[in-house]
Amino acid sequence: QVQLVESGGGLVQAGGSLRLSCAASGRTFESYAMGWFRQAPGKEREFVAAISRSGGTVYVDSMKGRFTISRDNAKNTVYLQMNSLKPEDTAVYYCAVGNLLATTPNSYTYWGQGTQVTVSS
């Protein structure tokens, strides 16, 4: 069992930045791939970024260059640095744990409760 707790969401103006954190507990954090997804009202949950056990990363093309995923295995934490935020980035952001680096939600086993990000124009 893995427990995930996201934090760092909030209200920011367009062009601003936020850093999301996801703290994991319960099992060996460094053994897992970690992913960030987001879900806007009325939309499907969509992939944002993921990082492998060894630090390899993958991003959705529309966020490449604006978002950066990283992990600190000593702190059992994964981060999502979001820059140049746009109103269309408004969503609930979720972190997730999986065995392999993947971009689909069903590849991940454990999920956090989500943190709201709202970008005003």
Side-chain angles (χ1 to χ4, degrees), residues 71-114:
R71 65 190 297 164
D72 184 339
N73 289 338
K75 296 183 178 179
N76 284 5
T77 302
V78 63
Y79 303 98
L80 185 68
Q81 178 67 44
M82 304 186 295
N83 299 327
S84 302
L85 283 162
K86 306 174 183 180
E88 52 264 43
D89 293 318
T90 295
V92 177
Y93 284 70
Y94 299 89
C95 70
V97 170
N99 289 319
L100 297 173
L101 190 65
T103 62
T104 55
N106 58 11
S107 298
Y108 292 82
T109 307
Y110 300 102
W111 292 81
Q113 83 289 350

Side-chain angles (χ1 to χ4, degrees), residues 8-120:
L11 174 64
V12 63
Q13 288 188 330
S17 298
L18 283 174
R19 188 195 197 200
L20 305 184
S21 299
C22 174
S25 61
R27 294 186 72 174
T28 308
F29 176 77
E30 60 267 23
S31 299
Y32 294 93
M34 302 293 296
W36 284 99
F37 291 78
R38 69 184 186 184
Q39 189 166 17
K43 294 189 176 181
E44 299 278 325
R45 188 167 297 191
E46 66 172 342
F47 172 74
V48 175
I51 187 166
S52 70
R53 293 172 289 181
S54 59
T57 58
V58 60
Y59 297 89
V60 66
D61 285 345
S62 62
M63 298 169 209
K64 205 175 291 185
R66 296 194 299 125
F67 291 8
T68 304
I69 189 171
S70 61
R71 65 190 297 164
D72 184 339
N73 289 338
K75 296 183 178 179
N76 284 5
T77 302
V78 63
Y79 303 98
L80 185 68
Q81 178 67 44
M82 304 186 295
N83 299 327
S84 302
L85 283 162
K86 306 174 183 180
E88 52 264 43
D89 293 318
T90 295
V92 177
Y93 284 70
Y94 299 89
C95 70
V97 170
N99 289 319
L100 297 173
L101 190 65
T103 62
T104 55
N106 58 11
S107 298
Y108 292 82
T109 307
Y110 300 102
W111 292 81
Q113 83 289 350
T115 186
Q116 176 70 48
V117 171
T118 303
V119 184
S120 63

